[in-house]
Structure formats: structure tokens, C-alpha cells
Amino acid sequence: MSLSAVLGIDLAKQKFDAALLVDGKTKHKTCKNSGEGFEALTLWLTKQEVEKVHVCLEATGSCGDDLAIYLHEAGHIVSIVNPARIKGFAQSELIRTKTDKMDAALIARFCLAMKPKEWIPPLPEIRTLKALVRRVDSLVDMRSQEKNRLSTSHESVSSLIKDHIAYLDQEIEKTRKQIAGLSQDGGTGR
């Protein structure tokens, strides 16, 4: 096992590109951004004879949360880094071309050089609460879009839009009650 192993990951919604940097050599792997892809990454790391690695990912909203948690729970050191830091590092290397594979390698080099602090995932209750809040925000946005459509819609679809708005109102209320329930019981779900 190499203790100097670092893994840079460039995330996308459907896939991620990983660059493993060990002893100055870089190896690449592309996987699905799903449980199946996470397992494929673990198998690949095992084939590379890497048991523990320092993983760096860019903070890109929630599309990397599951992967970061998976890697943390598997015993790896995980760092989630502000994309501006990675961009600044790229500028210091005078890199102009940009591909997912090259970005993953850049993130790995950043991790090796900068040794960013370890990320600790939030408690499951906090993750649940954040997911519910994001859901309410999405539902409120959808409702606003439908209300905007209503003012310009043809009369043949107005009643359908009103029905959808009523449904969204119900979903917003139901989700807000779930949030309130979590807040009252300290997030334990009891």
C-alpha cells in the first residue's frame, strides 16, 4: 500500500473521472456516479494495490455527496475543495486545455501539493433535513413557474395548471411538516 496515493475526482451528474496519482504516475478511471460506479472505483483501487487514499473532489452542489460519503465510510481521507482553489492551482500550472480526465489529474496534483483538510460528513439527520429543504425549494420554484404560466395560458389548459398548483401546494405543506417533525424531535425521526 502506498501512503502517498491521492485520488482526484472530477464530478458530473451521470459519471465521474478519477485520476490516481501514485509515485509520480497517474492512472485514470471513469465510473458511473452511482452505487455501481462507487463499487467499480473500489475494485479498481484494489487492483492498483491502494487500500487507503486521500481523495479530493470539488464542492459542486450535491452531485458528489453520495460518493464522498461512500469513500469516507470506506476509510479513505476525503477533502471537498472550493473550485476556485482548484482553478487558481490550474492557473499556476499554466494549464489551458480542459477535459474531465485532465481536470481529475489536476485535482489529484492539487491534493498532493496542498494537502487540504479532511472533510467529515454531516450526520444522517442533517443530510435528511438538507434534502427536505432542497425539495421544498424545488417545489416552490415549480409552483412559481406554474403561476407564471397560468397568466398566459390558453383556457384549455388553465384548469390543468390550477390542479398542478394545488398539488404542489399540498406537497410543499407535507414536506414542511416533515421538516418541522425533524426539527422537533432533534432529527431522530421519533
Side-chain angles (χ1 to χ4, degrees):
M1 175 177 101
S2 175
L3 294 175
S4 64
V6 294
L7 185 70
I9 297 180
D10 184 59
L11 288 161
K13 276 189 177 181
Q14 301 298 317
K15 69 169 183 87
F16 61 89
D17 287 270
L20 178 66
L21 184 57
V22 181
D23 301 325
K25 295 179 182 168
T26 307
K27 296 181 180 179
H28 296 273
K29 175 82 174 160
T30 300
C31 302
K32 292 180 183 178
N33 193 356
S34 66
E36 178 186 325
F38 306 165
E39 290 175 18
L41 178 65
T42 298
L43 287 172
W44 181 70
L45 288 172
T46 302
K47 286 180 184 176
Q48 306 307 314
E49 299 178 352
V50 174
E51 294 174 24
K52 187 172 183 176
V53 66
H54 187 169
V55 183
C56 279
L57 307 97
E58 288 183 318
T60 56
S62 61
C63 79
D65 290 355
D66 291 340
L67 176 59
I69 291 165
Y70 174 87
L71 291 167
H72 176 81
E73 290 176 353
H76 300 291
I77 297 167
V78 178
S79 296
I80 298 181
V81 181
N82 184 321
R85 289 186 68 196
I86 305 289
K87 184 178 180 183
F89 187 78
Q91 289 170 339
S92 75
E93 289 194 348
L94 303 174
I95 293 178
R96 292 173 193 240
T97 53
K98 188 166 169 42
T99 66
D100 295 340
K101 186 176 175 181
M102 290 180 72
D103 284 350
L106 172 71
I107 294 167
R109 290 191 306 278
F110 171 88
C111 187
L112 184 66
M114 305 307 288
K115 296 176 182 32
K117 69 178 182 165
E118 183 174 359
W119 168 82
I120 304 297
L123 296 171
E125 303 84 35
I126 301 299
R127 294 194 307 258
T128 298
L129 189 58
K130 284 182 176 183
L132 288 169
V133 169
R134 279 193 305 268
R135 181 64 184 153
V136 167
D137 289 344
S138 294
L139 291 167
V140 168
D141 287 346
M142 283 186 253
R143 181 179 61 190
S144 292
Q145 291 171 356
E146 287 292 74
K147 284 182 175 181
N148 290 339
R149 284 184 191 100
L150 190 57
S151 65
T152 60
S153 67
H154 187 270
E155 61 188 49
S156 63
V157 294
S158 292
S159 67
L160 297 172
I161 294 173
K162 286 177 184 175
D163 289 346
H164 192 223
I165 291 170
Y167 169 77
L168 291 170
D169 285 338
Q170 290 172 355
E171 288 298 301
I172 290 167
E173 182 62 27
K174 185 169 77 175
T175 309
R176 284 183 174 156
K177 282 181 180 174
Q178 280 186 275
I179 291 169
L182 282 175
S183 300
Q184 290 173 354
D185 65 22
T188 60
R190 291 182 223 143

